[in-house]
Amino acid sequence: MFGIVRPCSHRLTEGLKTEWMAHLCGLCLALRSDHGQLARVVTNYDGLIVSVLTEAQAERSTGWRRTAGPCPLRAMRTAPVARGEGARLAAAVSLVLASAKVRDHVADRDGLLGRRPVAVAARRIARSWDRAGARTGASLGFDTAVLVDAVDRQGGIEALAGPGTSLLTVTEPTETATAAAFAHTAVLAGKPHNAAPLAEAGRLFGRLAHLLDAVEDRESDAASGAWNPLAATGTDLVEARRLADDAVHGIRLALREVDFVDGKLAHVLLAHELTQSVNRSFRTTECGHAHDAEHRASYGPYGQPPQHGGNPYGLPPEPPRPQPRGFFAGCAAFLGLCCTCKMCCADEYEGPWSRKKREGCCSDCDCDCCDCCDACECCSCDC
């Protein structure tokens, strides 16, 4: 369950939480229906945003929800789930993204993927996911070649990147891919005039996803010797945070230009939850843009009291992070999490592949965060 938009249940109203889960389950079931049980392992939090955006622009009609049967991830409860073209587009995009992730693990020789027979099998699975995503995309009028091309170009760009290379040069393929996926939701919803602002929102979302992944993996990549865009280009956390905050702000501005029928969930996920994602990755609790000079002077640029000893971010030293699992070991861990309902009900669980700490989809948390209205005031965002 990879992805940067992982809303904590206490920040969603009961209705929005039900809607979010409907899209998450809808993506999972669309993958199963079109591509078989194994494809469900590519279900991810960011892919479902494509489904959310499609539905947010479309007029409500009969059949836009169906009742799904009991599932271990829902503690064997039934639930209404999203259906239709948005969920299928999300499935196609998720397959191609997962294929890229597998190739990345193979290139880094992660875990069992360092063994040639396992790497060969993983590449085969990745190619099959590419073909499956292309079939589904074609049936929806979406050419996944733009996604595959972005993945193929990424390696060459990374090989040429070095100190002084703009970080935005490295994030460009991801930006191009997500812009195309977001823009096509306007076509599916019959709102072609929304394509331009959604492409801009998608471009900045792709930039943000790439940035936050680089920030979160900085220490583990340094320890393992893996390639990291921040280290390769010599970009410090100050600049990375500036780019992340600007991307979130740009997404909000783009969303204001979109003609939504009901855009509340899309707004919460892309305007407010992305701020939480940035804070989580940089381990801060305040907006990157301080409210006034006094606040900046007393709390530093990232909402943390300045610390002595050479650490400009005021962050305590982190314990060593566990090494990511290989592809097949991650699949086994995923099945275990499904069977024990931890992905849904646990307060916290270990990601099956990344081994990063995740929050259960339906867990209640007691963290002290602002609600939607406070977030709007903090970030000057129009609800």
Side-chain angles (χ1 to χ4, degrees), residues 20-32:
W20 185 78
M21 286 297 297
H23 287 284
L24 183 62
C25 294
L27 168 57
C28 181
L29 294 175
L31 285 163
R32 184 197 66 180

Side-chain angles (χ1 to χ4, degrees), residues 49-123:
I49 291 177
V50 172
S51 177
V52 171
L53 286 172
T54 303
E55 189 172 280
Q57 300 170 75
E59 299 291 341
R60 295 292 181 264
S61 61
T62 57
W64 67 294
R65 287 285 185 271
R66 74 177 181 86
T67 301
C71 173
L73 285 174
R74 295 191 298 269
M76 302 309 295
R77 294 190 296 264
T78 61
V81 299
R83 64 187 305 180
E85 294 182 330
R88 296 185 67 221
L89 177 62
V93 171
S94 295
L95 284 164
V96 178
L97 291 177
S99 171
K101 206 169 185 67
V102 169
R103 288 197 184 94
D104 189 47
H105 284 308
V106 170
D108 291 341
R109 301 176 65 84
D110 289 338
L112 288 174
L113 292 173
R115 300 179 182 178
R116 181 176 173 79
V118 179
V120 169
R123 287 194 189 96

Side-chain angles (χ1 to χ4, degrees), residues 88 125 134 177 180 184 196 221 266-267 279 283 302 347 357 361 363:
R88 296 185 67 221
I125 291 173
H184 198 69
D221 285 347
H267 177 84
N279 288 334
R283 302 190 297 281
Y302 300 115
D347 290 334
K357 296 300 182 184
C361 300
S363 64

Side-chain angles (χ1 to χ4, degrees), residues 150-172:
V151 172
D152 291 343
R153 288 190 295 109
Q154 189 70 53
I157 290 173
E158 291 179 358
L160 295 174
T165 301
S166 170
L167 190 58
L168 300 187
T169 299
V170 179
T171 63
E172 179 274 322

Side-chain angles (χ1 to χ4, degrees), residues 148-223:
V148 176
D149 175 68
V151 172
D152 291 343
R153 288 190 295 109
Q154 189 70 53
I157 290 173
E158 291 179 358
L160 295 174
T165 301
S166 170
L167 190 58
L168 300 187
T169 299
V170 179
T171 63
E172 179 274 322
T174 309
E175 295 178 23
T176 300
T178 50
F182 275 42
H184 198 69
T185 66
V187 176
L188 295 182
K191 298 278 185 71
H193 54 283
N194 283 340
L198 284 173
E200 176 66 5
R203 182 179 68 82
L204 294 172
F205 183 87
R207 176 183 299 179
L208 189 62
H210 204 134
L211 279 172
L212 298 190
D213 185 63
V215 170
E216 291 184 353
D217 292 346
R218 197 168 55 100
E219 290 90 350
S220 60
D221 285 347

